[in-house]
C-alpha cells in the first residue's frame, strides 16, 4: 500500500487488507478495537458497502498511535491517538501523518485531497464537511452518568461538544466512560476545534 511503503520514522508501519486477512491478525485488530466492520444500515443503504471487503484495509504504525482506515466510510480516515493527556503530541502526529499520506498519494497518482474552497474537505457524510476533524477524549463521568445522558447531552451542546459511547457513533454506551468530541467541523480551523474540545473537557 502507498501508506506503508512511503511512511518513515514513528509513522512507519504495515497495511492489513481485509480481503484474505490472516485470522491471527484479524483477532489482534479486534482486540485493539481497530477493526471496522460491515453491517451499518446507513452505509449499506447509501451504497458504501458495495463489494465488501474488497479494496478495504487498515494501516497502523508499530506503536499503534497512527492509523489509516481505507474505504471504511470515506476513502481515507487518518487517525492519531494515544493514552494520556498529550493532546498537542497527538495533534502534531496527525498533522505529520496527513501531510505524509497526502504526499504519498500525490506521488502515486498526481492528485491532491478533494478540497472545496467553501465547504472544505469533501466526505461521504455531510456532517463532516469542513475540516472533517473530530478531536475526542475518553473520560470517566460518573456524576453525569448519575444525572442522566440527556443532561450530559444538554451540557455538551452548550459547550459545542458531542458525547458518544466509547464503542463509536452507533455502538452504544457502557459504564460511565464517554467519548467527548467537538460537535462542529465546518466554519472553524482545526486548532479552534481542538481547543474547543480541551476547554469543554476542562470546564
Amino acid at each position: 500500500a502507498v501508506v506503508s511503503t512511503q511512511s518513515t520514522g514513528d509513522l512507519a508501519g504495515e497495511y492489513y487488507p481485509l480481503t484474505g486477512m490472516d485470522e491471527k491478525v484479524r483477532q489482534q485488530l479486534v482486540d485493539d478495537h481497530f477493526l471496522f466492520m460491515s453491517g451499518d444500515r446507513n452505509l449499506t443503504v447509501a451504497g458504501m458497502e458495495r463489494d465488501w471487503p474488497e479494496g478495504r484495509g487498515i494501516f497502523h504504525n508499530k506503536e499503534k498511535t497512527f492509523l489509516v482506515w481505507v474505504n471504511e466510510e470515506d476513502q481515507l480516515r487518518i487517525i492519531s491517538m494515544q493514552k494520556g493527556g498529550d493532546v498537542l503530541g497527538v495533534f502534531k502526529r496527525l498533522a505529520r501523518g496527513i501531510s505524509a499520506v497526502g504526499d504519498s498519494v500525490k506521488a502515486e497518482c498526481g492528485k491532491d485531497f478533494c478540497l472545496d474552497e467553501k465547504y472544505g474537505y469533501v466526505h461521504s457524510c455531510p456532517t463532516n464537511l469542513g475540516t472533517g476533524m473530530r478531536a475526542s477524549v475518553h473520560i470517566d463521568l460518573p456524576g453525569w452518568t448519575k444525572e442522566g445522558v440527556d443532561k450530559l447531552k444538554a451540557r455538551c451542546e452548550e459547550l459545542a461538544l458531542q458525547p458518544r459511547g466509547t464503542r463509536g457513533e452507533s455502538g452504544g454506551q457502557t459504564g460511565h466512560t464517554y467519548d467527548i468530541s467537538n460537535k462542529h467541523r465546518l466554519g472553524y480551523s482545526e486548532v479552534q476545534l481542538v481547543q474547543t474540545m480541551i476547554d469543554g473537557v476542562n470546564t
Side-chain angles (χ1 to χ4, degrees):
V2 174
V3 181
S4 60
T5 57
Q6 299 298 324
S7 299
T8 58
D10 66 330
L11 300 179
E14 293 293 329
Y15 176 73
Y16 304 94
L18 264 58
T19 306
M21 182 177 286
D22 179 80
E23 177 56 28
K24 188 175 180 181
V25 171
R26 190 197 71 80
Q27 189 57 54
Q28 186 61 57
L29 290 170
V30 168
D31 292 344
D32 290 332
H33 304 288
F34 290 170
L35 189 65
F36 55 84
M37 312 292 286
S38 64
D40 185 300
R41 274 189 62 218
N42 295 322
L43 297 185
T44 302
V45 169
M48 286 187 275
E49 290 200 353
R50 291 189 304 271
D51 304 315
W52 189 278
E54 295 290 334
R56 294 166 171 87
I58 300 167
F59 168 89
H60 69 72
N61 65 350
K62 184 178 178 182
E63 294 79 16
K64 299 180 180 178
T65 56
F66 177 68
L67 295 83
V68 181
W69 285 4
V70 178
N71 291 325
E72 177 250 0
E73 178 178 332
D74 287 303
Q75 290 178 325
L76 292 174
R77 181 173 297 188
I78 303 171
I79 304 165
S80 175
M81 64 183 191
Q82 69 187 50
K83 292 183 179 181
D86 185 10
V87 178
L88 180 60
V90 173
F91 185 76
K92 284 182 175 180
R93 185 189 309 111
L94 177 66
R96 288 189 293 109
I98 291 171
S99 179
V101 173
D103 290 346
S104 182
V105 170
K106 181 79 169 179
E108 185 77 14
C109 65
K111 296 185 182 297
D112 294 308
F113 292 138
C114 193
L115 179 63
D116 182 89
E117 187 175 328
K118 182 176 181 180
Y119 297 111
Y121 291 101
V122 179
H123 297 79
S124 297
C125 181
T127 62
N128 285 326
L129 282 175
T131 61
M133 190 185 73
R134 193 174 78 88
S136 70
V137 293
H138 286 186
I139 185 170
D140 291 337
L141 299 172
W144 282 106
T145 302
K146 189 176 180 181
E147 288 286 331
V149 176
D150 288 341
K151 289 188 177 181
L152 173 60
K153 287 180 178 179
R155 180 56 177 148
C156 284
E157 184 71 27
E158 295 171 357
L159 299 170
L161 298 176
Q162 182 180 41
R164 297 182 179 183
T166 53
R167 293 181 176 178
E169 188 171 10
S170 56
Q173 171 61 27
T174 58
H176 54 247
T177 305
Y178 292 85
D179 178 301
I180 305 293
S181 64
N182 54 292
K183 180 178 180 181
H184 302 112
R185 313 281 190 269
L186 185 63
Y188 303 89
S189 72
E190 289 85 350
V191 171
Q192 286 175 311
L193 293 176
V194 172
Q195 194 61 54
T196 295
M197 184 273 290
I198 293 171
D199 292 343
V201 169
N202 286 335
T203 299

